[in-house]
Amino acid sequence: MKEIKVVMTSKNTQDRLTEKENITFSNRLEVQEVDIELDINKRFQTILGFGGALTEAAAYKLSQMPFDKRQQVINSYFDSKNGLGYSMARIHINSCDFSLENYVYIEENDTELKTFDISREKKWVIPFIKDCMKVKGGEIKILASPWSPPAWMKTNKEMNNGGKLSPEYKEVWAKYYAKFIKAYREEGINIWGISVQNEPAAVQVWDSCVYSAEEERDFIKNYLGPIMHSEKLEDVNILIWDHNRDIMVERASTVLSDPEAAKYVWGTGFHWYLSEEFENVGKVHELFPDKHLLFTEGCQEGGVKLGEWFTGERYGRNIIGDLNNWTEGYLDWNIVLNEEGGPNHVGNFCDAPIIANTNTQQLHYNSSYYYIGHFSKYIRPGAVRIGMINKNNQLYATAFLNKDGKIALVVMNETEENIDFTFGFGNDVAKLSLPEHSIATYIFDSKLL
């Protein structure tokens, strides 16, 4: 019997990553057309993994919760069997808006970085990362991103409200990344990659720093790239952009068309705010097929949207759109926040897949948690995207072949109606049905077919 395992999340039922009855393939008739056709012979990108941000806000929030609740959140994300199977994470270099305040690791005007000290991170963030590593059972691929250099290194002399890196501090700032990576390594935490700057095209009221495309290119070419090599950190991947899809083609083109800059760059990171122009992600791949693509941040803005379904669908739609355009991994923003969507030192409150209520000490799982799980639990690191033709314009879909030979097909129905559909694989066909506002992952063994 050729069977398909079905995992379902549906708005109007109790199904939340729920295993349903298996479905059996039937033999395809000679001329039988299907809605979704899979082709295992066509191969695309390999998946790095899925994860979320371990910010100071998230780490601090969980430190206020009872131990069992804190552990529950970590297990919910990093346990590969009972959780979402996260294998990646993002952290901030210096403070970000989801810190308790502005902070840096050195004293003012210390251009030799003699006072560099990450003691603050040892209070909440580093223990949090180590506990996540324990649950995962090994190393986590960590991306570290700066929101702002120290105020004295900037043209506006403050960490918030944009400003630029002053030219005379470019070398010092590049060495700062190296100091950070080495300090974390001394704590037993490996940094997989760094981005040059979080959201370099935005003047934010929180920690921010602006780089033009040419400035980012030249900083990598003349300072960050060479210094990472001289510090023997060439194994740490450098990502550019780390901002929205809308102008990522222009940014990537400016940086990666310069061979001296491009030789240091692993790939392009991007966020989902402003637009869902997935074609821009694919365009960057077409222009620079030897470079990589990683989704580095997305969340529902404007505070907590407790119990809302559209947030989960936003995740599902974006993950599918990006994966179908060569994205190799997906990093959500804060993995947990409090009931107002913080703490955030400038009031830029957002939602998270898990909300930890300070007053009741209860955890609330949003729809986004379950939608992410349909990908992260079943599309594992090392999985390869396979060919797919989707003729049903009411459904979103993507398909991957895992290293164990199992195929994971994720299909999402955002409409108000139940949708019946078929999918074909080789000589076999399956008849399926998706309820209104639902997502399902279909898992089957490619070797049996």
Side-chain angles (χ1 to χ4, degrees):
M1 292 260 296
K2 302 170 182 176
E3 291 201 326
I4 305 165
K5 177 180 172 180
V6 181
V7 181
M8 181 85 69
T9 294
S10 177
K11 179 181 181 180
N12 297 324
T13 71
Q14 295 303 306
D15 291 335
R16 300 291 184 270
L17 286 170
T18 302
E19 290 192 24
K20 309 295 284 183
E21 280 188 35
N22 285 1
I23 290 171
T24 306
F25 277 110
S26 57
N27 291 327
R28 189 199 294 250
L29 302 174
E30 199 168 323
V31 292
Q32 189 172 359
E33 294 247 345
V34 293
D35 294 292
I36 297 172
E37 185 74 64
L38 303 183
D39 184 353
I40 198 170
N41 295 313
K42 287 185 179 174
R43 308 285 176 95
F44 302 94
Q45 80 273 27
T46 300
I47 286 293
L48 278 171
F50 294 82
L54 308 180
T55 58
E56 184 178 71
Y60 171 75
K61 174 64 250 175
L62 285 185
S63 75
Q64 297 178 306
M65 297 293 286
F67 175 81
D68 62 324
K69 299 289 185 184
R70 180 180 182 273
Q71 198 60 38
Q72 183 184 327
V73 169
I74 294 171
N75 291 340
S76 291
Y77 283 112
F78 287 92
D79 188 303
S80 59
K81 186 179 179 184
N82 300 313
L84 298 193
Y86 273 10
S87 59
M88 300 187 76
R90 186 176 182 224
I91 61 174
H92 43 92
I93 300 172
N94 293 333
S95 58
C96 68
D97 50 326
F98 282 92
S99 300
L100 304 187
E101 62 194 340
N102 292 127
Y103 68 84
V104 298
Y105 306 125
I106 55 170
E107 293 174 9
E108 193 157 347
N109 299 318
D110 176 15
T111 56
E112 296 181 8
L113 306 182
K114 287 182 176 177
T115 60
F116 195 93
D117 182 8
I118 60 164
S119 292
R120 184 186 179 108
E121 309 298 6
K122 296 176 187 178
K123 189 170 184 180
W124 297 304
V125 175
I126 286 174
F128 188 27
I129 294 170
K130 288 184 174 178
D131 287 345
C132 293
M133 289 168 64
K134 273 183 207 165
V135 169
K136 184 196 172 285
E139 210 167 82
I140 294 167
K141 282 188 167 67
I142 295 175
L143 173 69
S145 304
W147 267 243
S148 173
W152 55 269
M153 289 190 193
K154 294 174 66 184
T155 55
N156 66 342
K157 301 303 177 189
E158 61 169 314
M159 292 186 74
N160 303 338
N161 301 304
K164 294 194 173 201
L165 176 64
S166 296
E168 65 268 31
Y169 296 121
K170 286 179 179 177
E171 184 177 355
V172 179
W173 180 229
K175 288 179 177 177
Y176 199 101
Y177 298 72
K179 279 276 193 185
F180 178 86
I181 294 162
K182 289 179 176 180
Y184 262 75
R185 284 187 176 178
E186 285 174 13
E187 295 298 318
I189 298 169
N190 198 37
I191 301 297
W192 167 86
I194 54 171
S195 61
V196 178
Q197 169 64 41
N198 176 71
E199 300 187 344
V203 175
Q204 311 282 26
V205 297
W206 54 85
D207 323 60
S208 46
C209 185
V210 176
Y211 290 76
S212 69
E214 293 77 13
E215 286 166 341
E216 186 171 13
R217 176 196 66 199
D218 294 347
F219 179 65
I220 295 165
K221 177 167 64 175
N222 300 324
Y223 298 97
L224 187 59
I227 283 168
M228 292 291 282
H229 275 250
S230 68
E231 295 283 347
K232 297 184 169 44
L233 295 173
E234 60 269 24
D235 59 317
V236 178
N237 299 294
I238 297 176
L239 281 73
I240 61 167
W241 191 222
D242 207 2
H243 206 168
N244 298 326
R245 300 184 190 99
D246 58 339
I247 54 171
M248 67 183 290
V249 178
E250 295 89 327
R251 177 66 59 133
S253 296
T254 298
V255 179
L256 299 179
S257 295
D258 185 316
E260 281 303 303
K263 71 181 183 184
Y264 297 115
V265 177
W266 176 84
T268 304
F270 62 95
H271 302 177
W272 79 16
Y273 312 108
L274 292 185
S275 77
E276 295 187 357
E277 296 168 270
F278 307 122
E279 65 276 8
N280 288 349
V281 183
K283 181 70 173 171
V284 172
H285 171 78
E286 287 170 23
L287 291 170
F288 307 100
D290 59 327
K291 297 299 183 182
H292 305 271
L293 289 157
L294 182 67
F295 181 87
T296 50
E297 185 186 316
C299 74
Q300 181 58 44
E301 314 92 322
V304 173
K305 305 288 187 285
L306 214 60
E308 290 285 1
W309 203 256
F310 75 87
T311 55
E313 291 184 329
R314 184 182 186 185
Y315 276 86
R317 195 173 59 244
N318 276 267
I319 294 172
I320 290 171
D322 288 329
L323 290 180
N324 286 343
N325 281 281
W326 296 91
T327 299
E328 296 169 39
Y330 229 81
L331 285 165
D332 182 30
W333 193 205
N334 300 277
I335 69 169
V336 63
L337 291 171
N338 67 20
E339 65 280 2
E340 64 177 350
N344 183 292
H345 72 88
V346 293
N348 179 38
F349 300 124
C350 293
D351 204 359
I354 300 178
I355 297 300
N357 190 298
T358 308
N359 303 314
T360 65
Q361 304 285 281
Q362 295 301 304
L363 300 173
H364 182 91
Y365 289 71
N366 277 319
S367 59
S368 48
Y369 174 86
Y370 301 103
Y371 270 72
I372 294 167
H374 276 273
F375 304 90
S376 63
K377 280 178 74 71
Y378 306 107
I379 300 172
R380 303 300 299 151
V384 178
R385 182 164 65 92
I386 61 171
M388 182 195 71
I389 297 171
N390 178 11
K391 296 178 182 174
N392 190 323
N393 60 15
Q394 291 184 298
L395 298 173
Y396 300 92
T398 193
F400 283 79
L401 172 66
N402 282 292
K403 289 198 290 187
D404 64 0
K406 287 188 168 58
I407 287 175
L409 167 67
V410 185
V411 187
M412 174 176 150
N413 173 13
E414 216 177 3
T415 76
E416 298 284 347
E417 299 175 356
N418 184 86
I419 296 177
D420 296 325
F421 68 101
T422 53
F423 87 84
F425 183 75
N427 297 318
D428 295 281
V429 173
K431 293 181 179 179
L432 305 166
S433 187
L434 262 184
E436 70 279 6
H437 295 292
S438 67
I439 186 170
T441 305
Y442 305 98
I443 304 114
F444 60 95
D445 196 335
S446 65
K447 296 168 186 172
L448 297 177
L449 305 183

